[in-house]
Amino acid sequence: MRTNVNLWWILAVFSFLIAAIYTVWSLIQHGGVEWVGTVALSFLGLMSTMIAFYIGRVLKAQRGELPEDTLTADIDDGDPEMGEFSPWSWWPIVLAASAAIAVIGLAVGSWLVPVGFAVFVVAIVGWVYEYYRGYFAR
């Protein structure tokens, strides 16, 4: 992860350097600033700086690299309890379909939004109660 932070800082410095060179070059070549390229390269530097800062803060907050970030780590080096997941569950796919129906409803016709909401209600109830009935009931 530290390598990622360093790479993002290098990209940020490179972007700002190229933005400055691009601006000077356009001044020499055309007698004025070409704003689209200058602004785009400057924003690339700003976005790279934001990502590098965020990844650096995350690395500092977790007090070093996690086993998941190390290529030589084994599976059992990390925290074994990650939560309970249902690999056989189809309800997340139905939830995604309901979101897709609602968004398509916003784009195509507003009558689809309530249909997407109704599918969402059915899917969220099914996902919450999937352990209370059927083969995996507890």
Side-chain angles (χ1 to χ4, degrees):
M1 188 138 167
R2 181 149 326 271
T3 304
N4 292 340
V5 174
N6 293 337
L7 288 175
W8 281 106
W9 282 118
I10 290 170
L11 180 63
V13 170
F14 177 76
S15 299
F16 285 128
L17 179 68
I18 293 300
I21 291 171
Y22 185 82
T23 304
V24 170
W25 194 338
S26 69
L27 281 171
I28 293 170
Q29 188 74 20
H30 302 291
V33 177
E34 199 279 313
W35 288 106
V36 174
T38 302
V39 171
L41 289 169
S42 300
F43 278 160
L44 176 64
L46 288 173
M47 296 298 143
S48 301
T49 303
M50 287 174 32
I51 292 172
F53 178 75
Y54 174 76
I55 294 175
R57 293 293 296 178
V58 167
L59 183 66
K60 184 179 177 183
Q62 67 190 16
R63 295 182 188 95
E65 291 192 12
L66 295 176
E68 293 87 8
D69 297 329
T70 308
L71 293 176
T72 58
D74 292 328
I75 292 174
D76 57 349
D77 287 343
D79 186 17
E81 183 62 37
M82 299 290 285
E84 183 178 337
F85 302 101
S86 302
W88 57 83
S89 180
W90 287 82
W91 291 113
I93 298 171
V94 179
L95 281 170
S98 72
I101 291 170
V103 170
I104 289 171
L106 290 174
V108 175
S110 60
W111 61 272
L112 276 175
V113 176
V115 172
F117 184 71
V119 173
F120 170 79
V121 170
V122 170
I124 199 73
V125 168
W127 199 15
V128 168
Y129 291 111
E130 75 179 340
Y131 285 116
Y132 293 102
R133 60 185 181 81
Y135 183 69
F136 299 106
R138 296 186 178 152

